[in-house]
Amino acid sequence: MEEAVTTVDGNVDELSASELLRSVEATNSLPFVTMRKHKKSNKDHNRADVAGHSTNVSSGADVLVGADVPGATQAYGGKGGGFVRARGGSFVLNGSPFLFNGFNAYWMMNVATDPSERLKVSQVLQDAANAGLSVCRTWAFADGGDKALQISPGAYDERVFQGLDFVVAEAKKYGLRLILSFVNNYKDFGGRTQYVEWARSSGVQVTSDDDFYTNPIVKNYYKNHIQRVITRVNTITRIAYRDERTIMAWELINEPRCQTDYSGRTVNGWVQEMASFVKSLDRHHLLEIGMEGFYGDTMPERKQINPGYQVGTDFISNNLIREIDFATIHAYPDQWMSTQNDDSQMAFMQNWMSSHYQDSRTILKKPLIVAEFGKSSKDPNFNTIKRDSYLNAVYRNIYMEARSGGTVGGGLVWQLMADGMSSYGDGYEIVLSDNPSTDSIISQQSHAMSTLSHVLRLGPNNVPGSHPGEVEFDHSKNLFKGIKVGSLEVEISRPQFADDALIIQHQESRRFGLHGKKCVLQSVVEVLEVVFMH
């Protein structure tokens, strides 16, 4: 969306209402207004036409309208210092709603093991932050094999651990939060196969990889790894991982599956034991399982939502465990339904997401993250337009569910990489600098979710109603004194949502106007934000 700018002289590039609405509907991009005090202008009223509606600006303010206003990411910054919490069906940060857009980058520790390659980690984190992404999911495991973190049970390579230290420190530097996974279901980077093999090599009687969930020796190996990660003190930040606010959550296992028990009960017992163990070591951080979302025996009627098969997990019973703070789903219709066309795959995706949204809201009563999704370049007839269309559809689904008061907190696209990392590619990789259209779609979703977070901070309902919102402005102190939206009134004595900005939003707003000392927000298009920069 192009910017409409009111200059000191009052010149305006107009943005038509139809253009604005098309952008909102097609891209999730939300219109916003940034007001900056202009010290050199003595004009009492500059006048701009925003989306076809009158905008009066006093005190010579600059008005910027668009999806890509310079400095907007900083104004929205989600870099608060608290731990992310789960409260009811929502994520909260420092007591306020926390919605986000994020990504996967499983490879970070592995790459950071070599100090000469760490620039790749820094580049992706910087690019992600520039795109407004605020959560990254990555591996905190590498069991056996090349560049192993855990060489053998209880034996660790300090060089690799320092690679993970670097990832945590860099995420902190760029204001991102991490979800760290403890083990893989698959053989990549060792996984539960390696744990079972370690036990077999030491003389333990095991029969299959599924003994990972039940054998006491194997389970103790895994618990030891959990303890080593959680209690580690970062060699760069000097902060223990369990006290590190940059870490949003722990994940028990990437995509658990169990072929010997499709009901989900075996995995359920393991989750209960391991979740209790994690919480005994760390009460600060959130915990999730790492599930794809497959249904099991708890609700037999839900099995028809699965893509034609079960994997030994039960989305309902597994996530009802008290120590599990939020649920996850993954979505790969291009893999799960590879013989079906794009329309059928998208229909499955919509149904998959809708079903889990409903269950997380009405049964689990816990937040939900769409923790993996993407479109592979290995798919038949792949092109960037198809990927962008798919991502945009998923993003809009996430946004609309969050906007309606649902439990979804955000999505994590699979996966971001830097240039020169073809050996880590799986077809789903995205290099933002090489894919400007995809970068734009991701950035727009980041802005939409961040904006919605701020809107929800104004009150319990994300649609306050048709009552106008009034903001009183004290010119003598250059401060907004208060916000009133319907029956909700908030007194303000200093900027709140960012160090240098006060953000005022009102859902469903049609017009923004400054009339003397009053800012009036009236009924509207999507979300109108006002940022007063000191």
Side-chain angles (χ1 to χ4, degrees), residues 356-369:
H356 289 88
Y357 292 163
Q358 179 182 345
D359 292 339
S360 65
R361 183 172 59 247
T362 62
I363 300 174
L364 302 179
K365 296 179 172 58
K366 295 180 180 182
L368 175 70
I369 293 178

Side-chain angles (χ1 to χ4, degrees), residues 28 30 395-403 448 452 526:
N28 267 351
L30 303 184
Y395 280 147
R396 182 163 182 80
N397 193 304
I398 290 171
Y399 171 76
M400 294 306 294
E401 174 65 16
R403 185 181 183 277
L452 186 56
E526 267 288 312

Side-chain angles (χ1 to χ4, degrees), residues 6 19 61 71 125 176 178 186 189 204 242 257 283 289 366 401 435 494 496:
T6 302
E19 289 173 332
L125 291 173
L176 279 80
L178 298 173
Y186 310 106
F189 296 91
V204 178
R242 62 180 164 193
R257 294 188 174 192
R283 288 286 177 180
I289 302 170
K366 295 180 180 182
E401 174 65 16
N435 294 272
R494 59 175 297 166
Q496 290 192 350

Side-chain angles (χ1 to χ4, degrees), residues 331-352:
Y332 291 109
D334 59 340
Q335 289 185 20
W336 300 343
M337 311 171 68
S338 59
T339 60
Q340 299 194 29
N341 61 32
D342 290 346
D343 290 342
S344 296
Q345 290 178 12
M346 180 52 73
F348 168 84
M349 181 66 171
Q350 299 283 3
N351 193 36
W352 183 252

Side-chain angles (χ1 to χ4, degrees), residues 295-296 299-306 316 354-356 358-359 363:
Y295 289 99
M299 297 178 66
E301 67 277 13
R302 281 299 204 206
K303 291 181 185 179
Q304 64 181 346
I305 304 295
N306 293 339
I316 301 298
S354 175
S355 174
H356 289 88
Q358 179 182 345
D359 292 339
I363 300 174

Side-chain angles (χ1 to χ4, degrees), residues 48-228:
D49 185 72
V50 180
H53 299 296
S54 173
T55 300
N56 296 319
V57 182
S58 64
S59 302
D62 290 343
V63 178
L64 307 176
V65 180
D68 298 305
V69 175
T73 299
Q74 287 79 356
Y76 299 148
K79 301 181 182 180
F83 290 98
V84 178
R85 310 287 189 188
R87 183 179 300 165
S90 303
F91 292 111
V92 295
L93 176 60
N94 300 324
S96 296
F98 178 63
L99 299 174
F100 58 87
N101 192 26
F103 65 103
N104 285 272
Y106 76 88
W107 47 268
M108 284 195 165
M109 179 185 70
N110 191 264
V111 169
T113 296
D114 182 351
S116 68
E117 293 291 299
R118 289 180 177 178
L119 182 62
K120 291 182 172 67
V121 173
S122 301
Q123 187 62 61
V124 168
L125 291 173
Q126 182 177 19
D127 290 347
N130 290 342
L133 295 162
S134 55
V135 176
C136 170
R137 175 174 172 260
T138 190
W139 297 168
F141 62 81
D143 305 309
D146 183 48
K147 292 185 180 180
L149 172 62
Q150 187 174 194
I151 302 167
S152 61
Y156 287 80
D157 187 334
E158 176 61 20
R159 180 179 60 103
V160 181
F161 239 143
Q162 289 181 12
L164 185 58
D165 291 345
F166 177 80
V167 172
V168 174
E170 284 294 280
K172 188 183 190 77
K173 173 182 174 180
Y174 289 106
L176 279 80
R177 295 182 185 271
L178 298 173
I179 297 176
L180 297 180
S181 186
F182 289 130
V183 72
N184 205 359
N185 172 69
Y186 310 106
K187 293 180 181 180
D188 305 275
F189 296 91
R192 62 189 179 101
T193 298
Q194 180 64 76
Y195 276 88
V196 172
E197 183 55 38
W198 280 333
R200 182 180 290 110
S201 297
S202 65
V204 178
Q205 295 297 313
V206 289
T207 58
S208 76
D209 290 350
D210 288 342
D211 287 337
F212 174 83
Y213 300 116
T214 57
N215 185 275
I217 302 297
V218 177
K219 289 192 292 183
N220 282 337
Y221 289 164
Y222 174 72
K223 286 180 180 178
N224 178 72
H225 177 64
I226 289 174
Q227 186 166 357
R228 288 293 292 267

Side-chain angles (χ1 to χ4, degrees), residues 404-425:
S404 69
T407 59
V408 66
L412 309 175
V413 67
W414 184 279
Q415 61 168 320
L416 296 192
M417 286 188 177
D419 283 319
M421 294 183 60
S422 58
S423 63
Y424 292 90

